[in-house]
Amino acid sequence: MPLADYGVLSGTLHRHFRGEPDARGRWFRVNLEVDTPDGRYRCAVDVDSVHPTICVQWKVLTLAASVLEPASALAPGHHDLARTSGSGAVDFQRHPALAGRPGRAIARLRTLLGRPGPSHPWISGSCLEASQALEPLLVPGRPVLVFGEAFDHGGPGMRNIHQNQGDPYGSRWWADNGTWQDGATMTRRDDGWYDVFLSKFSPQADRTGPDGHPA
């Protein structure tokens, strides 16, 4: 079934640190500590896979707070979100701002030029490259929105901060597929705009059906 405890954490970034590297020097998460009225949360942002044949993919966007409403207007703390459009939930493929869908005129021009693809393609790379894309956004003291699944093991936190749909049939994550439940990290700049880090894993499909399974 889709994620049971999907939501968003609104708070202030305290600090971040990379996970402990393995024997080959790879780490799999960048950990955020986020302060809220309910205490400090630990948020684990995936930047690599333990499976050697799977790589991480990411993109970095800058978005106005208005396109992220109502999530951008929530009070500090953790908030459950309905997995529907308009609730504040995130869906990389269906939210117009996150999917990078151009306006009709630009889309028509791209088609005429033979370049109809998305305006923000996924970048593939190593844990180091993914971390180097994420970490400049993680300025201590910035307001932050972390979308994902809540947990409470050794203290409150957020996990599954990555795409949560499109896993192929037969994978251990097939049952977790669903729409409007993707994870993301967003930090608010002094000008009110948000720097946004999105990530997924290479086997996850770029197009899914209404159940979140690969289309």
Side-chain angles (χ1 to χ4, degrees):
M1 59 179 296
L3 301 184
D5 297 304
Y6 180 71
V8 61
L9 179 70
S10 175
T12 301
L13 183 64
H14 174 66
R15 68 168 183 140
H16 75 275
F17 58 95
R18 296 174 181 177
E20 288 292 327
D22 66 5
R24 293 184 293 170
R26 297 166 57 212
W27 58 94
F28 304 103
R29 296 173 183 85
V30 171
N31 298 287
L32 283 59
E33 292 183 350
V34 178
D35 289 330
T36 77
D38 302 321
R40 181 168 293 167
Y41 281 69
R42 181 174 61 85
C43 307
V45 183
D46 294 85
V47 293
D48 206 346
S49 168
V50 297
H51 301 279
T53 60
I54 296 175
C55 72
V56 69
Q57 300 176 318
W58 68 88
K59 62 177 71 175
V60 176
L61 313 174
T62 301
L63 300 175
S66 59
V67 304
L68 300 172
E69 292 178 350
S72 58
L74 291 172
H78 178 268
H79 304 268
D80 293 328
L81 295 176
R83 292 187 296 271
T84 59
S85 173
S87 70
V90 168
D91 189 306
F92 295 173
Q93 301 179 26
R94 294 166 179 81
H95 191 297
L98 299 180
R101 297 173 189 162
R104 291 183 179 179
I106 295 176
R108 190 177 301 112
L109 177 61
R110 285 182 179 164
T111 300
L112 291 173
L113 294 174
R115 294 181 294 179
S119 58
H120 299 288
W122 292 104
I123 300 169
S124 298
S126 67
C127 62
L128 175 60
E129 293 167 318
S131 299
Q132 290 175 334
L134 168 63
E135 289 170 336
L137 285 58
L138 304 179
V139 180
R142 272 191 178 187
V144 60
L145 296 173
V146 181
F147 296 80
E149 185 177 32
F151 71 91
D152 192 8
H153 302 294
M158 299 287 284
R159 62 188 176 189
N160 287 323
I161 307 171
H162 52 69
Q163 179 170 302
N164 292 304
Q165 60 181 311
D167 279 291
Y169 179 76
S171 79
R172 59 180 291 192
W173 300 283
W174 166 268
D176 293 335
N177 282 336
T179 60
W180 294 103
Q181 59 165 19
D182 289 331
T185 305
M186 310 182 182
T187 65
R188 195 177 76 206
R189 308 185 321 194
D190 290 341
D191 61 7
W193 286 61
Y194 279 83
D195 289 328
V196 177
F197 180 86
L198 312 179
S199 62
K200 64 184 287 289
F201 297 106
S202 51
Q204 293 179 309
D206 291 331
R207 293 180 59 248
T208 63
D211 54 7
H213 295 317

